[in-house]
Amino acid sequence: MAVVELETGDHQPENGFVSPETTSPELLTRIDGSVLPFLGAFGKYQKQLIVLTWIPALFIGFSQYSDDFLLAQPNNTCIQPLANLTNERIGPSSTVHNNANNTQCNCTEWTFEMHTGLVQNVVTKWSLVCDSAWKVHIAKFSLLVGSIFGYLVFGILTDWFGRHPVLIISVLFMLVFGLSVAFSVNVPMFSTLRFFEGFCLAGITLSLYVLRIELCLPGWRFSMTMVASFVVLGGQLLMPGVAYLCRDWQVLQAVIICPLLLMVSYIWIFPESLRWLLATQQYGRSKLIMGHIAKKNRVNMELDPDNILGELQRSLQQKPKKTCIVKMVGTRNLWKNIVVLCVNSLTGYGIHHCFARSMKYPDGQETTMFHNFYADYYTMAGIAVASCIALCPAVGLMGRRGGLLMFMIITALASLLQLGLLNLLGKYSGHLNIGRTVCSYIFFFDNFSIAFSIIGMFSSQAVSNLSIFFCAEITPTVIRGGGLGLVLASAGFGTLTAPIMELHNQKGYFLHHIIFACCTLICIICILLLPETRNQPLPETLADAENYTRQPLLLPRKPLLHPSDSSRDYTRTSFDCHSMLMSQI
């Protein structure tokens, strides 16, 4: 019988693409299939660590939604205008609604009526109304912009220095800057410190997310992540009660930050990610952590049928090999998947503001739908909770790609119907006999607008959460921090559109909504290019991530090599084929 000789030599990169490297030992790269089952699979020790990643999520939720209380606009009344030399109080008609062009803004003294449970916040402390109202939006920018930069910077650092050091450094600096915010003496100081607070908050969020993903086996990843999302939403739901108990914004800021002191103990409690150590070939540290995990899970390491410890011992002399997110550019499939998910997260968070504004202000005026802060706040929080609840069965039935596609289609339909159908009804309401009076038409229009807004917020929230989780599964371990940082930063850019629109007094809102509605249509097409990762092991190297290719939507199959990659050098694939042919001979 003729022997087929397979080429295993080095090949030059094709068409400028970087050829993925697969020099790691075979068993040590099969973490979900070999290493973790050898250490007790998803044992008691891993579950304890997962719980430790959930606890800070509550305080992360407090920080993420603190702007709704620290920077809330109160009802403000002018006591003494500049044009009036008397000390008489101006009547109720003098209530000013933060309009810089209002002549009554020429005021020397204000009285404020808070409606968020606080007696005083940043706006009332420094009288950020009328001509100074723009400083409130700058303060909102600072936290979001700091988070965007934090995701990008800490994403790279988690891949280069590890998840554990980034987590601890972020916590330490978060304590410093977060507590300093409470002692701000003016608005510039407050905004600057909030930037660094957002920067450190991004590092904590990112490192905890990655650590949680890398601790789990395929069947547990999504459920463990969703529990963390519910804990964050729990922080959102509890925030009004915390604000009411604190009464003052400085006390509230300190109460939000101080519980993070508990995370300093993670220096000794929480180990470095074993998955990251093995993927970057740091086998000396990996051996120590594997022994610790096996001891905690009460696993007898002498029972090693696959000889994992022997292979680990032979690999101890290898030098660590770390990868930067920049190498993603040299791949064929990976960069496309990450870009698609970046656009999805940007669109989800961006269009969420459009729906939120339409629901809170259905008639386009500055009067909210419920005329009550708590009703508006808990309505938004309730929609977010319902979205996460619906996400669980949807992903369980349809998978990651099918669930993302379904929610994006719902978002697109809600947006297009709100933009198109309601405007057509307004134009042809007389012919359709919708209402005989103006009041009945306004009632009809507002109710349908609110209904579409609720549906759109519900689905866009699911799109945003699932895009982030999808990226964590598609991106290989060696650059998972950088890839996840890009998607989270894109989500931050989408969220940033809300204060930008507020700064411009909602001018261009309709065009803003149209742009994001068009983005939803583009995302629907791009989602079809993504692979399905349900019940699949996490990719560890760039070569593993390249092997994930698109499968049919209705008949999912195991990941296959892309046809155009058949001539490329994948050492592992060549080795497997050679072994199979030799065994047949």
Coordinates of all heavy atoms in Angstrom, one line a residue, residues 199-237:
F199 N -12.3 54.5 34.7 CA -11.1 53.8 34.2 C -10.9 52.5 35.0 O -10.7 51.4 34.5 CB -9.9 54.7 34.2 CG -8.7 54.1 33.5 CD1 -8.6 54.2 32.1 CD2 -7.7 53.4 34.2 CE1 -7.4 53.7 31.5 CE2 -6.6 52.9 33.6 CZ -6.5 53.1 32.2
C200 N -10.9 52.7 36.3 CA -10.6 51.5 37.2 C -11.8 50.6 37.3 O -11.6 49.3 37.4 CB -10.3 52.0 38.6 SG -8.8 53.1 38.7
L201 N -13.0 51.1 37.2 CA -14.2 50.3 37.2 C -14.2 49.3 36.0 O -14.6 48.2 36.1 CB -15.4 51.1 37.2 CG -16.8 50.4 37.2 CD1 -17.0 49.6 38.5 CD2 -17.9 51.4 37.0
A202 N -13.7 49.8 34.9 CA -13.6 49.0 33.7 C -12.6 47.8 33.9 O -12.9 46.7 33.4 CB -13.2 49.8 32.5
G203 N -11.5 48.1 34.6 CA -10.6 47.0 34.8 C -11.1 46.0 35.7 O -10.9 44.8 35.5
I204 N -11.9 46.3 36.7 CA -12.5 45.3 37.6 C -13.6 44.5 36.8 O -13.6 43.3 36.9 CB -13.2 46.0 38.8 CG1 -12.2 46.8 39.7 CG2 -14.0 45.0 39.7 CD1 -12.7 47.6 40.8
T205 N -14.4 45.2 36.1 CA -15.5 44.5 35.3 C -14.9 43.5 34.3 O -15.3 42.4 34.2 CB -16.4 45.6 34.6 OG1 -16.9 46.5 35.5 CG2 -17.5 44.9 33.8
L206 N -13.9 44.0 33.6 CA -13.3 43.2 32.5 C -12.6 41.9 33.1 O -12.8 40.8 32.6 CB -12.3 44.0 31.7 CG -11.5 43.3 30.6 CD1 -12.5 42.8 29.5 CD2 -10.5 44.2 30.0
S207 N -11.8 42.1 34.1 CA -11.0 41.0 34.7 C -11.9 40.0 35.3 O -11.7 38.8 35.2 CB -10.0 41.5 35.6 OG -10.6 42.3 36.6
L208 N -12.9 40.4 36.0 CA -13.9 39.5 36.6 C -14.6 38.7 35.6 O -14.9 37.5 35.7 CB -14.9 40.2 37.5 CG -14.4 40.7 38.9 CD1 -15.4 41.6 39.6 CD2 -13.9 39.6 39.8
Y209 N -15.0 39.4 34.5 CA -15.8 38.7 33.4 C -14.9 37.6 32.8 O -15.4 36.5 32.6 CB -16.2 39.7 32.4 CG -17.3 39.3 31.5 CD1 -18.6 39.9 31.7 CD2 -17.2 38.4 30.5 CE1 -19.7 39.5 30.9 CE2 -18.3 38.0 29.7 CZ -19.5 38.6 29.9 OH -20.6 38.2 29.1
V210 N -13.6 37.9 32.5 CA -12.8 36.9 31.9 C -12.5 35.8 32.8 O -12.5 34.6 32.4 CB -11.4 37.6 31.4 CG1 -10.5 36.6 30.9 CG2 -11.7 38.7 30.4
L211 N -12.2 36.1 34.1 CA -11.9 35.0 35.1 C -13.1 34.1 35.2 O -12.9 32.9 35.3 CB -11.6 35.7 36.4 CG -10.2 36.2 36.6 CD1 -10.1 37.1 37.9 CD2 -9.1 35.1 36.6
R212 N -14.3 34.6 35.2 CA -15.5 33.8 35.4 C -15.7 32.9 34.1 O -16.0 31.7 34.3 CB -16.7 34.7 35.5 CG -18.0 34.0 35.9 CD -19.2 35.0 35.9 NE -18.9 36.1 36.8 CZ -18.8 37.4 36.4 NH1 -18.9 37.7 35.2 NH2 -18.6 38.3 37.3
I213 N -15.5 33.4 33.0 CA -15.6 32.6 31.8 C -14.6 31.5 31.7 O -14.9 30.3 31.4 CB -15.4 33.5 30.5 CG1 -16.6 34.4 30.3 CG2 -15.2 32.6 29.3 CD1 -17.9 33.7 29.8
E214 N -13.4 31.8 32.1 CA -12.3 30.8 32.0 C -12.3 29.8 33.1 O -11.6 28.8 33.1 CB -10.9 31.5 32.0 CG -10.8 32.4 30.8 CD -9.4 33.1 30.7 OE1 -8.7 33.2 31.7 OE2 -9.1 33.7 29.6
L215 N -13.1 30.0 34.2 CA -13.2 28.9 35.2 C -14.2 27.9 34.8 O -14.2 26.8 35.4 CB -13.7 29.6 36.5 CG -12.6 30.3 37.3 CD1 -13.3 31.2 38.4 CD2 -11.6 29.3 37.9
C216 N -15.1 28.1 33.9 CA -16.3 27.3 33.6 C -16.0 26.3 32.5 O -15.3 26.6 31.5 CB -17.5 28.1 33.3 SG -18.0 29.2 34.6
L217 N -16.7 25.1 32.6 CA -16.8 24.2 31.5 C -17.8 24.7 30.5 O -18.7 25.5 30.9 CB -17.1 22.8 32.0 CG -15.9 22.1 32.7 CD1 -16.4 20.8 33.3 CD2 -14.8 21.8 31.8
P218 N -17.9 24.2 29.3 CA -18.8 24.7 28.3 C -20.3 24.8 28.7 O -21.0 25.7 28.4 CB -18.6 23.8 27.1 CG -17.2 23.3 27.2 CD -17.0 23.2 28.7
G219 N -20.7 23.8 29.4 CA -22.1 23.7 29.8 C -22.5 24.7 30.9 O -23.7 25.0 31.1
W220 N -21.5 25.3 31.6 CA -21.8 26.2 32.7 C -21.6 27.7 32.4 O -21.9 28.6 33.2 CB -20.9 25.8 33.9 CG -21.3 24.5 34.5 CD1 -20.8 23.3 34.2 CD2 -22.2 24.3 35.6 NE1 -21.4 22.3 35.0 CE2 -22.2 22.9 35.9 CE3 -22.9 25.1 36.4 CZ2 -23.0 22.4 36.9 CZ3 -23.7 24.6 37.4 CH2 -23.7 23.2 37.7
R221 N -20.9 28.0 31.3 CA -20.5 29.3 31.0 C -21.6 30.3 31.0 O -21.5 31.4 31.6 CB -19.7 29.4 29.7 CG -18.3 28.8 29.7 CD -17.5 29.2 28.5 NE -18.1 28.8 27.3 CZ -17.7 27.8 26.5 NH1 -16.7 27.0 26.9 NH2 -18.3 27.6 25.3
F222 N -22.6 30.1 30.2 CA -23.7 31.0 30.0 C -24.5 31.2 31.3 O -24.8 32.4 31.7 CB -24.6 30.6 28.9 CG -25.7 31.6 28.6 CD1 -25.4 32.8 27.9 CD2 -27.0 31.4 29.0 CE1 -26.4 33.7 27.7 CE2 -28.0 32.3 28.7 CZ -27.7 33.5 28.1
S223 N -24.8 30.2 32.0 CA -25.6 30.3 33.2 C -24.9 31.1 34.3 O -25.4 31.9 35.0 CB -26.0 28.9 33.8 OG -24.9 28.1 34.0
M224 N -23.6 30.8 34.5 CA -22.8 31.6 35.5 C -22.7 33.0 35.1 O -22.7 33.9 36.0 CB -21.4 30.9 35.6 CG -21.4 29.5 36.1 SD -22.0 29.3 37.7 CE -23.7 28.7 37.4
T225 N -22.6 33.3 33.8 CA -22.5 34.7 33.4 C -23.8 35.5 33.6 O -23.8 36.6 34.0 CB -22.1 34.8 31.9 OG1 -20.8 34.1 31.7 CG2 -21.9 36.3 31.5
M226 N -24.9 34.8 33.4 CA -26.2 35.4 33.5 C -26.5 35.7 35.0 O -27.2 36.7 35.3 CB -27.3 34.5 32.9 CG -27.3 34.5 31.4 SD -27.2 36.1 30.6 CE -28.8 36.8 31.3
V227 N -26.1 34.8 35.9 CA -26.2 35.1 37.3 C -25.5 36.4 37.7 O -26.1 37.2 38.5 CB -25.7 33.9 38.2 CG1 -25.7 34.2 39.7 CG2 -26.6 32.7 38.0
A228 N -24.3 36.6 37.2 CA -23.6 37.8 37.4 C -24.4 39.0 36.9 O -24.4 40.1 37.5 CB -22.2 37.8 36.8
S229 N -25.0 38.9 35.7 CA -25.8 40.0 35.2 C -27.0 40.3 36.1 O -27.4 41.5 36.3 CB -26.3 39.6 33.8 OG -25.2 39.4 32.9
F230 N -27.6 39.3 36.6 CA -28.7 39.5 37.6 C -28.3 40.2 38.8 O -29.0 41.0 39.4 CB -29.4 38.2 37.9 CG -30.3 37.7 36.8 CD1 -30.1 36.5 36.2 CD2 -31.5 38.4 36.5 CE1 -30.9 36.0 35.2 CE2 -32.3 37.9 35.5 CZ -32.1 36.7 34.8
V231 N -27.1 39.9 39.3 CA -26.5 40.5 40.5 C -26.3 42.0 40.2 O -26.6 42.9 41.1 CB -25.2 39.9 41.0 CG1 -24.6 40.6 42.1 CG2 -25.5 38.4 41.4
V232 N -25.8 42.3 39.0 CA -25.6 43.7 38.6 C -27.0 44.5 38.6 O -27.1 45.6 39.1 CB -24.9 43.9 37.3 CG1 -24.9 45.3 36.8 CG2 -23.5 43.3 37.3
L233 N -28.0 43.8 38.0 CA -29.3 44.4 38.0 C -29.9 44.5 39.4 O -30.6 45.4 39.7 CB -30.3 43.5 37.2 CG -29.9 43.5 35.7 CD1 -30.9 42.6 34.9 CD2 -30.1 44.9 35.1
G234 N -29.5 43.6 40.3 CA -29.9 43.8 41.7 C -29.3 45.0 42.3 O -30.0 45.7 43.1
G235 N -28.1 45.4 42.0 CA -27.5 46.7 42.4 C -28.3 47.8 41.9 O -28.5 48.8 42.6
Q236 N -28.8 47.8 40.6 CA -29.6 48.8 40.1 C -30.9 48.9 40.8 O -31.4 50.1 41.1 CB -29.9 48.5 38.6 CG -30.7 49.6 37.9 CD -31.0 49.3 36.5 OE1 -30.7 48.2 36.0 NE2 -31.7 50.2 35.8
L237 N -31.5 47.8 41.2 CA -32.8 47.9 41.9 C -32.7 48.4 43.3 O -33.6 49.0 43.9 CB -33.4 46.5 41.9 CG -33.9 45.9 40.5 CD1 -34.3 44.4 40.7 CD2 -35.0 46.7 40.0

